[in-house]
Amino acid sequence: MVSPSPHVIHARFQPYIRLVFSALLLSTGLTNAIAQTPDAQEVAQTLPNVVILATGGTIAGTGASSTTTVGYTSATVGVDKLIAAVPELKKVANVKGEQVFQIASESMTNDHWLKLAKRVNILLARPDVDGIVITHGTDTIEETAYFLDLTVKSRKPVVIVGAMRPSTALSADGPINLYNAVLLAGSKEAIGKGVLVTLNDQINAAREVTKTNTSTTDTFKSPELGMLGYIQGSKPYFYRQSTRKNTLDTEFDITNLDVLPKVDIVYGYADMNSVALDAQVAAGAKGIIHAGVGDGSIAAQMKEPLIAARKKGVIIVRASRVGQGIVARNGEASDDALDFVVSDTLNAQKARILLMLALTKTNNTKEIQRMFYTY
Ligand code: SIN
């Protein structure tokens, strides 16, 4: 029997030799990788610290079944559960949650706003807080956002987020919206951009965003002026910025405020009457937002009641129910002569917020008009 040559032996065992060699390489590589992996504490130190203030809304809502996307109960899930439902948050921020309120946002009041703004300001003054996320019902998200835009005293990111589908729904939008919001609140890109609203992978400015659809997930738009940017692949992309002053650059300070001046809205329509206006003035309104038709027009039968209200000291702001465009000063009414103010491009619900804050500083209509052209 001829014994195999050393070459043949080598060839026969080559695959096994390669296998052992690869295993050795792999184990060494892994050992190195493990040695290089930063421990959890090190990772946490490099992540931003984001506080989530929960206020309720559909993002915290539950429905009877997975296909219930209308007629569900909003504001039932607590902040801890909201956070636990998105374990991916841990990869982008050190997150802490606080339940500030648990309400559907149609029940949001001035008192809620004052409490929320004060809490945000206290938290943002802390060096160990890098950003705030507020979970909120979508119905009044734009109002809370604008109130905070005018009253938060920090350039750190404040991001308000909601959802159009309850947490129990098929394709609930809450988890991804919350993830995006935390990411944005912890990002350098969001610093100094004013209060932001994010849903549907889009970033909008508090002043300009509005709800445009009762139920679809793409409901939030900034008509004509446009959104600020997108969130894609776990990264925010900004393309524009509002030119209006916000946060640290406003003249409003709510630190010692417990109540806001009463301002109401009168809605314009064909054949309207002054019953609502008269009642609001009688109930003590200090300001009225007249959401007129078209370019903020005033019906003939409304002129005298508005003039009478102004003579009683009530500030009248002409806004438009149209929702887009500038209300022209001295256009559809002689604002100088009537001593009225125009809302610029603010919709009626946001004009109400600015007028309330303006009235904490002055009753002078020229000054108030300046504020409407500034914020
Ligand atoms: C609410 O605004 O609280 C209910 C509606 C929603 O969050 O989408």
Side-chain angles (χ1 to χ4, degrees):
M1 192 174 159
V2 184
S3 33
S5 75
H7 286 297
V8 174
I9 294 173
H10 187 195
R12 202 179 285 160
F13 287 101
Q14 218 175 20
Y16 301 102
I17 294 167
R18 235 185 267 135
L19 202 70
V20 171
F21 191 64
S22 314
L24 270 172
L25 266 185
L26 194 68
S27 74
T28 322
L30 276 181
T31 318
N32 280 347
I34 290 164
Q36 282 164 10
T37 303
D39 63 21
Q41 208 180 348
E42 278 170 342
V43 171
Q45 277 166 4
T46 63
L47 291 176
N49 298 321
V50 174
V51 180
I52 300 182
L53 300 178
T55 73
T58 295
I59 194 167
T62 45
S65 75
S66 61
T67 52
T68 305
T69 54
V70 290
Y72 51 84
T73 314
S74 116
T76 55
V77 180
V79 67
D80 293 341
K81 273 197 176 162
L82 285 183
I83 294 172
V86 192
E88 293 82 358
L89 294 180
K90 288 198 194 78
K91 292 186 188 151
V92 292
N94 303 310
V95 166
K96 283 201 178 115
E98 263 183 51
Q99 193 75 47
V100 193
F101 336 112
Q102 185 66 295
I103 59 170
S105 80
E106 63 265 30
S107 303
M108 196 60 67
T109 63
N110 295 352
D111 291 345
H112 290 117
W113 284 340
L114 287 169
K115 186 172 172 196
L116 186 60
K118 286 175 189 176
R119 187 70 192 130
V120 169
N121 280 332
I122 286 170
L123 286 168
L124 289 182
R126 283 170 38 176
D128 61 341
V129 174
D130 298 305
I132 301 274
V133 166
I134 298 166
T135 60
H136 198 290
T138 59
D139 289 346
T140 59
I141 212 170
E142 67 192 82
E143 292 172 60
T144 300
Y146 190 50
F147 183 78
L148 294 176
D149 202 43
L150 297 173
T151 55
V152 164
K153 292 296 159 202
S154 172
R155 297 211 196 282
K156 292 180 188 173
V158 176
V159 181
I160 314 202
V161 63
M164 291 302 290
R165 295 178 182 150
S167 62
T168 43
L170 273 178
S171 298
D173 52 336
I176 182 68
N177 289 347
L178 183 61
Y179 174 77
N180 281 342
V182 169
L183 189 92
L184 191 57
S187 75
K188 302 245 175 318
E189 290 88 338
I191 295 170
K193 299 279 196 314
V195 173
L196 303 170
V197 175
T198 185
L199 280 94
N200 204 35
D201 297 342
Q202 297 175 340
I203 308 165
N204 279 283
R207 183 186 184 276
E208 282 130 28
V209 69
T210 193
K211 190 173 189 179
T212 64
N213 186 293
T214 56
S215 46
T216 60
T217 52
D218 64 346
T219 178
F220 283 97
K221 309 272 185 223
S222 298
E224 300 207 303
L225 299 177
M227 63 174 159
L228 303 186
Y230 300 99
I231 299 168
Q232 195 182 69
S234 295
K235 188 172 162 38
Y237 294 87
F238 281 88
Y239 296 87
R240 58 174 289 272
Q241 196 168 342
S242 175
T243 56
R244 293 307 175 97
K245 289 188 174 177
N246 57 57
T247 56
L248 270 185
D249 299 323
T250 79
E251 58 209 276
F252 309 117
D253 182 4
I254 48 89
T255 317
N256 297 314
L257 275 185
D258 292 326
V259 62
L260 290 167
K262 181 173 157 56
V263 174
D264 290 310
I265 298 173
V266 174
Y267 196 83
Y269 51 94
D271 198 35
M272 78 180 287
N273 60 63
S274 67
V275 173
L277 168 68
D278 296 340
Q280 286 162 354
V281 172
K286 302 284 179 254
I288 293 288
I289 308 297
H290 177 269
V293 296
D295 191 6
S297 300
I298 297 172
Q301 67 275 18
M302 290 300 294
K303 202 167 165 188
E304 281 312 315
L306 285 168
I307 290 170
R310 179 71 200 103
K311 281 193 179 137
K312 288 185 184 146
V314 179
I315 303 292
I316 309 295
V317 175
R318 286 197 306 115
S320 169
R321 71 173 193 178
V322 171
Q324 293 179 46
I326 301 171
V327 174
R329 187 165 175 88
N330 295 317
E332 288 295 321
S334 307
D335 298 299
D336 288 350
L338 296 168
D339 203 21
F340 290 173
V341 173
V342 289
S343 71
D344 187 44
T345 61
L346 285 182
N347 65 24
Q349 57 272 31
K350 291 188 194 181
R352 174 177 171 268
I353 289 164
L354 181 51
L355 182 54
M356 288 193 297
L357 290 169
L359 286 168
T360 65
K361 307 285 289 183
T362 182
N363 284 312
N364 182 310
T365 48
K366 282 197 178 57
E367 267 294 279
I368 295 172
Q369 185 64 76
R370 176 191 61 76
M371 293 174 188
F372 271 86
Y373 285 137
T374 304
Y375 302 111

